[in-house]
Amino acid sequence: MGVGKSTVGGLLAERLGVVYRDTDEDIVAGEGRTIAEIFVDEGEAAFRAMEKRAVRTALAGYEGVLALGGGAVLDADTRALLSGHRVVYLSMDVEEAVRRTGLNVARPLLAVNPRRQWRELMETRRHLYEEVAVAVVATDGRTPEEVTQAVLDALELKEA
């Protein structure tokens, strides 16, 4: 959350000459409501099922840059689907998250005590991100352009 996946994903797609897609945006467009509204109306389990379908659909034949929501890796089937893809984990520490987002934006999983909850989420998810990633790129103190270049370097990709 707040790591810059949308910004970096868009820049990366532009530099590679491909299309950018975000599964969270796919869900919002398909459902006609925000992720926060889905969480409130139907709960996290329903959202995770939507997310799993969105990732499966997006990975089928898609060849651009794809950004996934932070919880997508919680599902073992989704992690298996990501195998064989060039997955990059954009990392940051809690202080950077506070600086970027203030941890006070509409994030359903951070509603109460955001710093503690962010740390707990990362403790639960970090190993899953690392499991699916072929590269880890730290975003702390870097501009989106610097992170984009670091991703290109880590994946040994050339610009279009």
Side-chain angles (χ1 to χ4, degrees):
M1 291 177 253
V3 75
K5 69 180 175 62
S6 298
T7 302
V8 171
L11 288 170
L12 187 60
E14 182 180 302
R15 289 179 63 178
L16 292 171
V18 298
V19 178
Y20 169 75
R21 184 173 179 177
D22 184 317
T23 57
D24 281 351
E25 292 174 7
D26 290 350
I27 294 167
V28 169
E31 291 294 314
R33 54 197 167 137
T34 68
I35 291 171
E37 290 170 329
I38 295 168
F39 265 77
V40 169
D41 295 345
E42 298 185 45
E44 184 176 359
F47 172 76
R48 295 295 174 213
M50 292 174 199
E51 182 175 54
K52 180 178 180 175
R53 285 190 303 273
V55 172
R56 185 183 321 110
T57 300
L59 287 174
Y62 181 72
E63 296 186 15
V65 174
L66 179 65
L68 305 183
V73 298
L74 296 173
D75 182 77
D77 293 336
T78 298
R79 291 194 306 276
L81 286 172
L82 293 170
S83 177
H85 292 276
R86 292 179 171 174
V87 178
V88 176
Y89 162 34
L90 299 179
S91 70
M92 72 177 168
D93 66 22
V94 70
E95 296 312 316
E96 185 78 0
V98 169
R99 187 182 71 73
R100 290 186 187 183
T101 68
L103 293 181
N104 61 0
V105 293
R107 308 254 185 217
L109 294 179
L110 299 178
V112 179
N113 195 344
R115 281 178 187 247
R116 188 188 83 230
Q117 288 179 304
W118 189 90
R119 283 189 183 104
E120 288 173 3
L121 280 173
M122 288 309 300
E123 286 173 16
T124 302
R125 296 176 179 182
R126 184 175 287 113
H127 74 283
L128 300 173
Y129 296 149
E130 291 170 349
E131 175 185 322
V132 300
V134 298
V136 178
V137 174
T139 65
D140 303 79
R142 289 175 149 172
T143 66
E145 292 77 13
E146 291 169 331
V147 174
T148 301
Q149 186 59 54
V151 170
L152 287 168
D153 293 345
L155 296 178
E156 299 178 354
L157 295 173
K158 303 286 185 220
E159 293 183 50

